[in-house]
Amino acid sequence: MLGLMQSQNLSIASLIDFAEKHHGDTEIISRRVEGDIHRSDWATIAKRSRQVANALDAGQVAQGARVATLAWNGYRHLEIYFGVSGSGRVLHTLNPRLHPEQVTWIVNHAEDHVMCFDMTFLPIIQNIHAHCPTVKHWVALCDADKLPADSGIPGLISYEAWMGSHANVYAWPELDENTASCMCYTSGTTGNPKAALYSHRSTILHAYACALPDVMGLSARDSVLPVVPMFHVNAWGIPYSAAMVGCKLVFPGAALDGKSVYELLETEQVTLAAGVPTVWQMLLGHLKAGGLRFSHLKRTVIGGSACPPAMIHAFNDDYGVEVLHAWGMTELSPLGTLCTLKNKHLALPAEDQMKIRLKQGRAIYGIDFKIVDDQGKEQPHDGKAYGDLLVKGPWVVREYYKQEGGSPLIDGWFPTGDVATVDPEGFMQITDRSKDVIKSGGEWISSIDVENIAMAHPEVAMAACIGMAHPKWDERPIVVVVKRPGSPLERDTLLKFYEGKIAKWQIPDDVVFVDAIPLGATGKMLKTRLREQLASYQLPA
Amino acid sequence: MLGLMQSQNLSIASLIDFAEKHHGDTEIISRRVEGDIHRSDWATIAKRSRQVANALDAGQVAQGARVATLAWNGYRHLEIYFGVSGSGRVLHTLNPRLHPEQVTWIVNHAEDHVMCFDMTFLPIIQNIHAHCPTVKHWVALCDADKLPADSGIPGLISYEAWMGSHANVYAWPELDENTASCMCYTSGTTGNPKAALYSHRSTILHAYACALPDVMGLSARDSVLPVVPMFHVNAWGIPYSAAMVGCKLVFPGAALDGKSVYELLETEQVTLAAGVPTVWQMLLGHLKAGGLRFSHLKRTVIGGSACPPAMIHAFNDDYGVEVLHAWGMTELSPLGTLCTLKNKHLALPAEDQMKIRLKQGRAIYGIDFKIVDDQGKEQPHDGKAYGDLLVKGPWVVREYYKQEGGSPLIDGWFPTGDVATVDPEGFMQITDRSKDVIKSGGEWISSIDVENIAMAHPEVAMAACIGMAHPKWDERPIVVVVKRPGSPLERDTLLKFYEGKIAKWQIPDDVVFVDAIPLGATGKMLKTRLREQLASYQLPA
């Protein structure tokens, strides 16, 4: 027997309709590429998003066609978010930090029909446009009078000219809620980039979950500054959750330095900010240097990579700002877990609370996770056993766009590529990447644990732990080290340093000193490259 | 083009699975009918809900069959909630306050297959069981040794004997998310009772919305006491939202007096309580009499009927408890609006904030509403114009069970039967019931406004305003008044009292003094009856 409730498709258009109707004059603030501060509101964003939809209709952009953006966080990007998905096209946010060749590859793979870009990225577009035959409309996110006459890009039009002449009335189409709304490419270390293709349904369910008190806790009383880019998994879904609750949004544009971000946090009375650790490092540095305080900031969501304990301490102890440590990935829309305390933890001493806050957090309802060993056997939630982290849920990918990479699921579960422990309270902690964990005699050794100990030695500048094939134990760890300039550090001294800090069988078999460890564009160590460099290395007998 | 996210049915079973896995030892406390305090937790509730599912299988209760409850708020009721809906049956919560004849009618209309009842309600069951041929299993919510030997109910079994012998392992079926999960009858003033038939989908979406910071703001740090009965629109959805966030639940059982509720609020460190104004009246009375304070209570959700200003003041000013004024109805699962302030209101003086808090609140994302005049024309959101309140959304009924009463929708909108204003900030205020509003010369007069002025006169004990047919103006208001004992109050004195308090054309044409105004079982004035009594009344010329 079926229920008798109204059948209504979950839709992104309904988010912007809601924000317009119930929070029309709530502000949307943007620092523009031009440097000035632009003030808008939900009603204006809604009207202009409908102008975008009309412009797409006029440009004969079909339902389901991809509309790409190469843009910072700002009001025009937000209008495109709702205008594109709301009208049944697919928003494709491109990462401008990729190499132009990768951008070209992705644009062609996605078959983007429209490209909207900030003027900052004009050089990239000039570089690639001739190699992107599917793109029919090039739109520069600027006023008509800011358009360069000699861009060399055929038919280039300013955003304001492109959408400005169209009506701000538009009847959003009634879409199946499983219609694709958005795509994000993720660049693995191997193989071609692969795209997650989100739906209206997955986006709305994720938006509800994101706003919950145990997650970001978003309300109409918040002023939210997403430092996390709108080209990075939709700024963790904040634009959607923000429309759902009608909060104020503050966009930092291209200025992510400590001074600029601090200025916006203060003048726009921001209560919650979200971003990766590196941005917060710059912000905290700026505060410390100037002896500054936050007037309104209450919470920061920190994710993208593990948050250093010192940062959590600084926010919490020095500035009274609660850190919400989060974990997610492109394939999860992106939120998987977030670290908020349970009732029973509120009475714990601050240092015990801090131990919990260092973990990546608890599952959000909608996401289910488990940790499994090599044989797929589920591991206990005892905070010690670790295994590959698998997830499932309505905002987790089933497969990638164009079935790139085949079917990623294992019995319906998505393997995250992370290795984690889960404690009895359900708090998950990432301990390693699956490809980096060392499997020695049936037991797993966390490469990150081994690296952290080496990094704690005063004479070590950088350390990478990798597994080396071993006839008896399958793999044994070695640690590759860059010494501080002029340091006389020796192999045996460092190995001795491990004693008592880690189980004996987890201590690396060897230390290899090198001048440099190869790093990727985002500063992450490239262990694949390192393994290639050590191809001829032999473990000590 | 469709998205490529995992397809997963929204399901009530997944709520209890989640609470068990991630909040297994979070407590579920119940004051039992026996008077003692019972302590359980989410893991135990989950196990026992699976025993319930197995008992239903063993009893050959088909998928979709209705399982009725006649029960207070308590752990067994909660187990039945999840065991019944999770296994694909339909939970039917009966209101024990109805007349036994009505209960019988409803049981037969619903074709209930199982009846689970608290021992408090044994007399009702003894009264009706012979007239309920569809019921195959009578289950008393008690231990085996508490079962009366001579109940007269054939096959009567205790809950513990019924479910206790079954395994606590059960594979929840994979259900279409539109499968019926739950039904609640609503008794209109005319016609037969009609049932809303909720689905797994509507329940989960409602649960997400309920938990949002702008609604109940539920988190794993809360201890929640629903005074609102689980037989009254599923205790406003709290059992589902509670499982979703893993908060502690505290059930008051049958003891709703001020002393008992206060005791639980204190001993179980309750942070949020929810109920109707009459219950809070008793609680506040108890506090005042004893000079008591709340140690942990932070928020109360008040709905069911308009919350008197004095109550909001008392909670807020005297006890520092935030009142969340809510509006909803059975047909809305039930939440429609809830009153939380926007960012811009936080800086207002307390008295201006209070003016907002008196309203029923803002729409929750998922619910859309509008106010329309007689011709269906949408009225402005200016805080003055009022009209019939229409709503739509994924947790609003489309039609009633067995199509009772035909199709209730008007162009896809559900007419609530309430008349309301909406201010420019989107805050809705109920001003009247549609059937009570007086339509005079194309303008509407709120019967409640007219009554409130009369009630403010020191010599008036009770007042009801009703519309009388008028040849020129269609309708004109009169006010029917019960004087305080011995009062010499006269017609013209009272009419004069209206001057300056209301527009001239809204002043009633006449005053009719009566000895008593007919009241319904819940204390509400029965205006239909009053109109019948005044059938021969003539307006003054």
Side-chain angles (χ1 to χ4, degrees):
Chain A
M1 185 164 67
L2 297 183
L4 294 172
M5 308 308 282
Q6 296 188 7
S7 88
Q8 196 169 92
N9 283 305
L10 302 177
S11 83
I12 288 174
S14 75
L15 288 174
I16 190 70
D17 283 350
F18 179 84
E20 177 181 34
K21 186 166 176 178
H22 298 287
H23 302 275
D25 66 355
T26 297
E27 287 188 304
I28 309 295
I29 308 300
S30 311
R31 188 191 293 278
R32 302 207 297 177
V33 172
E34 296 88 322
D36 63 333
I37 301 293
H38 177 272
R39 309 192 83 82
S40 182
D41 56 32
W42 280 113
T44 309
I45 297 291
K47 283 193 189 78
R48 286 166 55 93
S49 71
R50 294 191 293 265
Q51 290 182 281
V52 168
N54 277 316
L56 293 168
D57 282 7
Q60 299 190 301
V61 181
Q63 292 282 306
R66 271 71 65 207
V67 176
T69 60
L70 201 64
W72 299 108
N73 292 6
Y75 65 103
R76 287 173 176 138
H77 207 171
L78 189 65
E79 292 155 11
I80 293 169
Y81 260 55
F82 290 103
V84 169
S85 301
S87 67
R89 284 85 180 188
V90 178
L91 175 75
H92 173 204
T93 52
L94 276 158
N95 186 344
R97 290 178 185 145
L98 295 174
H99 190 277
E101 268 181 35
Q102 287 176 294
V103 175
T104 307
W105 188 94
I106 290 174
V107 168
N108 284 297
H109 188 265
E111 302 170 67
D112 292 325
H113 194 96
V114 182
M115 171 70 73
C116 304
F117 60 95
D118 266 328
M119 291 303 286
T120 323
F121 306 121
L122 180 61
I124 301 179
I125 299 297
Q126 287 172 323
N127 192 335
I128 70 170
H129 76 92
H131 312 293
C132 300
T134 63
V135 178
K136 303 303 175 202
H137 306 278
W138 300 92
V139 180
L141 298 174
C142 62
D143 291 332
D145 61 0
K146 295 287 190 312
L147 201 69
D150 53 351
S151 71
I153 297 156
L156 180 64
I157 187 170
S158 77
Y159 177 77
E160 297 299 331
W162 176 64
M163 53 74 88
S165 62
H166 292 282
N168 61 24
V169 178
Y170 189 85
W172 301 117
E174 186 64 37
L175 303 168
D176 177 332
E177 68 186 34
N178 293 306
T179 302
S181 61
C182 227
M183 76 197 314
C184 287
Y185 279 77
T186 175
S187 46
T189 44
T190 56
N192 287 325
K194 299 189 283 284
L197 192 63
Y198 311 122
S199 68
H200 287 258
R201 174 183 168 97
S202 70
T203 303
I204 299 295
L205 293 176
H206 183 266
Y208 268 126
C210 255
L212 290 177
D214 273 329
V215 188
M216 295 195 194
L218 296 180
S219 81
R221 291 169 296 291
D222 277 312
S223 169
V224 177
L225 189 147
V227 186
V228 52
M230 290 167 77
F231 59 74
H232 182 71
V233 213
N234 300 319
W236 300 345
I238 289 173
Y240 305 114
S241 292
M244 177 176 271
V245 306
C247 67
K248 174 175 174 176
L249 276 176
V250 183
F251 290 123
L256 305 183
D257 60 287
K259 180 171 178 294
S260 302
V261 170
Y262 178 73
E263 204 175 272
L264 277 184
L265 292 175
E266 289 296 298
T267 56
E268 301 305 331
Q269 310 194 343
V270 170
T271 55
L272 179 139
V276 296
T278 44
V279 168
W280 301 132
Q281 206 64 62
M282 293 192 287
L283 177 66
L284 290 173
H286 177 72
L287 261 84
K288 199 163 182 192
L292 304 168
R293 311 287 305 169
F294 295 116
S295 318
H296 291 81
L297 191 68
K298 292 193 187 79
R299 310 174 325 273
T300 50
V301 185
I302 305 189
S305 56
C307 181
M311 184 174 288
I312 299 189
H313 273 293
F315 270 116
N316 193 73
D317 307 345
D318 302 345
Y319 299 105
V321 173
E322 187 186 14
V323 168
L324 303 170
H325 201 185
W327 170 83
M329 52 199 303
T330 303
E331 289 86 343
L332 272 75
S333 304
L335 275 184
T337 66
L338 197 130
C339 196
T340 48
L341 301 182
K342 292 183 175 182
N343 191 303
K344 64 170 79 168
H345 301 133
L346 298 179
L348 290 178
E351 59 192 307
D352 291 338
Q353 290 191 359
M354 190 55 67
K355 281 179 197 153
I356 300 170
R357 290 190 185 280
L358 288 175
K359 303 189 177 189
Q360 273 78 9
R362 298 184 280 118
I364 302 161
Y365 171 78
I367 289 289
D368 195 7
F369 67 60
K370 62 177 179 179
I371 48 174
V372 300
D373 68 9
D374 275 344
Q375 280 73 47
K377 191 180 161 232
E378 203 165 338
Q379 299 299 295
H381 289 191
D382 59 9
K384 289 175 195 130
Y386 45 87
D388 287 313
L389 179 66
L390 308 187
V391 298
K392 67 176 173 183
W395 58 83
V396 178
V397 296
R398 183 176 73 229
E399 58 189 69
Y400 295 99
Y401 181 57
K402 293 182 173 174
Q403 295 197 292
E404 198 71 44
S407 172
L409 303 194
I410 301 169
D411 292 337
W413 293 81
F414 177 78
T416 63
D418 280 323
V419 173
T421 61
V422 181
D423 71 21
E425 298 295 338
F427 286 79
M428 187 274 287
Q429 185 162 30
I430 303 288
T431 58
D432 214 342
R433 290 290 296 164
S434 302
K435 60 184 167 42
D436 293 336
V437 76
I438 289 108
K439 295 174 181 177
S440 172
E443 299 287 341
W444 292 12
I445 300 169
S446 160
S447 68
I448 294 175
D449 285 353
V450 174
E451 285 158 10
N452 283 346
I453 294 171
M455 292 289 285
H457 192 285
E459 295 185 48
V460 171
M462 190 176 289
C465 170
I466 56 176
M468 285 291 161
H470 188 282
K472 182 172 175 193
W473 304 111
D474 292 333
E475 279 189 332
R476 285 299 299 159
I478 65 164
V479 59
V480 183
V481 166
V482 180
K483 287 191 273 196
R484 291 203 179 274
S487 157
L489 180 66
E490 290 188 359
R491 175 186 184 278
D492 292 347
T493 316
L494 186 58
L495 291 181
K496 209 165 175 57
F497 186 68
Y498 275 92
E499 286 174 17
K501 297 190 173 71
I502 199 170
K504 217 161 181 177
W505 60 271
Q506 295 175 326
I507 297 178
D509 277 12
D510 200 7
V511 179
V512 176
F513 292 107
V514 295
D515 292 336
I517 289 170
L519 299 180
T522 59
K524 281 188 188 173
M525 297 191 291
L526 296 178
K527 293 195 182 175
T528 326
R529 186 85 52 84
L530 192 59
R531 285 191 197 93
E532 288 165 13
Q533 290 179 6
L534 294 172
S536 58
Y537 170 86
Q538 295 282 338
L539 278 171
Chain B
M1 184 163 68
L2 296 183
L4 294 171
M5 308 308 282
Q6 296 187 7
S7 87
Q8 197 169 93
N9 283 306
L10 302 178
S11 83
I12 288 174
S14 74
L15 288 174
I16 190 70
D17 283 350
F18 180 84
E20 178 181 34
K21 185 165 175 178
H22 298 287
H23 303 275
D25 65 356
T26 297
E27 286 188 303
I28 309 294
I29 308 299
S30 310
R31 188 191 293 278
R32 302 207 296 178
V33 173
E34 296 88 323
D36 63 332
I37 301 292
H38 177 272
R39 310 191 83 83
S40 181
D41 57 32
W42 280 113
T44 309
I45 297 290
K47 283 193 188 78
R48 287 167 53 93
S49 71
R50 293 191 294 265
Q51 289 182 282
V52 169
N54 278 315
L56 293 168
D57 282 6
Q60 300 191 299
V61 181
Q63 292 282 307
R66 272 70 66 207
V67 177
T69 60
L70 201 64
W72 299 108
N73 291 5
Y75 65 103
R76 287 174 176 138
H77 207 170
L78 188 66
E79 292 155 11
I80 294 170
Y81 260 55
F82 289 105
V84 169
S85 302
S87 67
R89 283 87 181 188
V90 179
L91 176 74
H92 172 203
T93 53
L94 276 158
N95 186 342
R97 289 177 186 147
L98 295 174
H99 190 276
E101 268 182 34
Q102 287 176 295
V103 175
T104 307
W105 188 94
I106 290 173
V107 168
N108 283 299
H109 188 264
E111 301 170 66
D112 291 326
H113 193 96
V114 183
M115 171 71 72
C116 304
F117 60 94
D118 266 328
M119 290 304 287
T120 323
F121 307 121
L122 180 62
I124 301 179
I125 299 296
Q126 287 171 322
N127 192 336
I128 70 171
H129 76 91
H131 313 292
C132 300
T134 63
V135 178
K136 303 301 177 204
H137 306 278
W138 300 92
V139 181
L141 299 175
C142 63
D143 291 333
D145 59 1
K146 295 286 190 312
L147 200 67
D150 53 353
S151 71
I153 298 156
L156 181 65
I157 187 170
S158 77
Y159 177 77
E160 297 299 331
W162 176 65
M163 53 74 87
S165 62
H166 292 284
N168 62 25
V169 177
Y170 189 85
W172 301 117
E174 187 65 38
L175 303 169
D176 177 332
E177 68 186 35
N178 292 306
T179 301
S181 61
C182 228
M183 77 198 313
C184 287
Y185 279 77
T186 174
S187 45
T189 42
T190 56
N192 287 325
K194 298 188 285 285
L197 192 63
Y198 312 121
S199 67
H200 286 258
R201 174 183 168 98
S202 70
T203 303
I204 299 296
L205 293 176
H206 183 266
Y208 269 126
C210 255
L212 290 176
D214 273 328
V215 189
M216 296 194 194
L218 295 180
S219 82
R221 290 168 297 292
D222 277 312
S223 169
V224 177
L225 188 147
V227 186
V228 53
M230 290 168 79
F231 57 75
H232 181 72
V233 213
N234 299 319
W236 300 347
I238 289 173
Y240 305 114
S241 291
M244 178 176 270
V245 306
C247 66
K248 175 175 173 176
L249 275 177
V250 183
F251 291 123
L256 305 183
D257 60 287
K259 180 171 178 294
S260 303
V261 170
Y262 178 73
E263 203 175 274
L264 277 183
L265 292 174
E266 289 297 297
T267 56
E268 301 306 331
Q269 310 193 344
V270 170
T271 55
L272 178 139
V276 296
T278 44
V279 168
W280 302 132
Q281 206 64 60
M282 293 191 287
L283 178 67
L284 290 173
H286 177 72
L287 261 84
K288 200 163 181 192
L292 304 168
R293 310 285 308 167
F294 294 117
S295 317
H296 291 82
L297 191 67
K298 292 194 186 77
R299 311 175 321 275
T300 51
V301 185
I302 304 187
S305 56
C307 182
M311 184 174 288
I312 300 189
H313 273 292
F315 271 116
N316 194 74
D317 307 347
D318 303 345
Y319 299 104
V321 172
E322 187 185 15
V323 168
L324 304 170
H325 200 185
W327 170 84
M329 51 198 303
T330 303
E331 288 87 342
L332 273 74
S333 305
L335 275 184
T337 65
L338 197 131
C339 195
T340 49
L341 302 182
K342 293 183 173 182
N343 191 302
K344 64 170 77 166
H345 300 134
L346 298 180
L348 289 179
E351 60 193 307
D352 291 338
Q353 290 189 359
M354 191 54 67
K355 281 180 198 153
I356 299 171
R357 289 189 186 282
L358 288 176
K359 303 189 176 190
Q360 272 79 9
R362 299 183 279 117
I364 303 161
Y365 172 77
I367 289 289
D368 196 6
F369 67 62
K370 62 178 180 180
I371 48 173
V372 300
D373 69 9
D374 275 342
Q375 280 73 47
K377 191 181 163 231
E378 204 165 338
Q379 298 299 296
H381 289 191
D382 59 9
K384 288 175 197 133
Y386 46 88
D388 286 314
L389 179 66
L390 308 186
V391 298
K392 66 177 174 184
W395 57 83
V396 178
V397 295
R398 183 177 73 230
E399 58 189 70
Y400 294 99
Y401 181 56
K402 293 184 175 175
Q403 296 198 291
E404 198 69 44
S407 172
L409 303 193
I410 301 169
D411 292 338
W413 293 80
F414 176 78
T416 64
D418 281 324
V419 173
T421 60
V422 182
D423 72 19
E425 298 294 338
F427 286 79
M428 187 274 286
Q429 186 161 29
I430 303 287
T431 58
D432 214 341
R433 290 290 297 164
S434 303
K435 60 184 167 43
D436 294 336
V437 76
I438 289 109
K439 295 174 182 177
S440 172
E443 299 286 341
W444 292 12
I445 300 170
S446 160
S447 68
I448 294 175
D449 286 354
V450 173
E451 285 158 9
N452 282 347
I453 294 171
M455 292 291 284
H457 191 285
E459 294 183 49
V460 171
M462 191 176 289
C465 170
I466 55 175
M468 284 292 160
H470 188 282
K472 182 172 175 192
W473 304 111
D474 291 334
E475 278 189 332
R476 286 297 301 158
I478 65 164
V479 60
V480 183
V481 166
V482 180
K483 286 191 273 196
R484 290 203 180 275
S487 159
L489 182 65
E490 291 190 359
R491 174 187 184 277
D492 292 347
T493 316
L494 186 58
L495 290 181
K496 207 164 175 61
F497 186 69
Y498 275 93
E499 286 174 18
K501 296 190 175 71
I502 199 171
K504 217 160 180 178
W505 60 272
Q506 295 174 327
I507 297 179
D509 277 13
D510 200 6
V511 179
V512 176
F513 291 106
V514 294
D515 292 336
I517 289 169
L519 299 179
T522 60
K524 281 189 188 171
M525 297 191 291
L526 295 179
K527 293 196 183 175
T528 326
R529 188 83 52 86
L530 192 58
R531 284 192 198 93
E532 289 165 12
Q533 290 179 4
L534 294 172
S536 58
Y537 170 86
Q538 294 283 338
L539 277 172

